[in-house]
Amino acid sequence: MAEPDSDIKTDRPSDEEIREKQKWGYDMYPERKGEYKPSLGKILLGEGREAEDKLKCERRVYNCFMRSKIVQLMAGALKASGCPVDIRRHISCEWCGPSVNGGYDPVTNQIVVCQNRSKYEKMVQGVLTHEMIHMFDFCRHDLDFKNLEHLACTEIRAANLTHCSFISAMVQGDAHPFKIRAQHQECVKSKAMWSVMVVRNLSMEEAHRIVEKVFPHCYNDLEPIGRRIKTGTADMDRAYHEGYFYGYV
């Protein structure tokens, strides 16, 4: 009788594989690992309605693809780059941990929208746009999420293009009325540093070093939106209409 092949892998992930997934941020998305199960205490506090939450989340995602100019622009840019988005395949509403509203899983090429945290359509729009920038970078630029400089660069781009209006920077403490000129850059750096620290469990000093190293090039890369979106302006509509010139709309 032949000896069993020691290289054959079972379906159960090894301890090393589990540690690696945690290292890359998978521990924040327990449904990705099949580990989420609400406790009695959580159910009493309003959790445990996963089916209802998922349905509401999926409705918000659908509405964003139908109504949001910035989400439509990103979907068009991905399609023009050879990576069309199918919301049934590439968007997944899931229960997440307490520190994230959404995420991008490059292994499955899926955007996760946290159904227990992204409760409003505007929040879902922000999550989709942010994560679609990561998807765009993965599609267009051979992004390697295990490379810290690549990770920092795509987080800089996502914060730069969609997250950091003057109001959000004020809330974060990155701006005040006497340093308006630099506030956007400081907001982008803070957001990118936080994202890198959460995903890769780095120290603040190490995250700061990496973000500063790649910041000049990545901050000036405005593809595919072409402008920094500011709160309370018509920037989303302008970016959408400008997309015609690049074949994105």
Side-chain angles (χ1 to χ4, degrees), residues 77-114:
L78 281 158
K79 182 178 181 180
S81 301
C83 303
V85 177
D86 181 341
I87 61 175
R88 296 165 297 180
R89 159 66 181 84
H90 296 110
I91 316 293
S92 177
C93 287
E94 299 180 13
W95 194 95
C96 305
S99 59
V100 291
N101 294 326
Y104 174 63
D105 184 348
V107 176
T108 59
N109 191 30
Q110 281 187 318
I111 292 169
V112 177
V113 180
C114 298

Side-chain angles (χ1 to χ4, degrees), residues 9 14 27 48 55 57 60 66 74 83 86 95 99 127 131-132 145 150 154 161 175 196 227 234 236 239-240 249:
K9 292 186 177 180
S14 67
D27 53 316
L55 183 61
C57 174
R60 295 183 195 111
M66 293 297 102
M74 287 304 307
C83 303
D86 181 341
W95 194 95
S99 59
V127 168
E131 305 306 335
M132 288 169 89
F145 280 89
H150 287 203
T154 193
L161 291 169
V196 171
R227 60 173 63 239
M236 288 189 189
Y240 177 82
V249 177

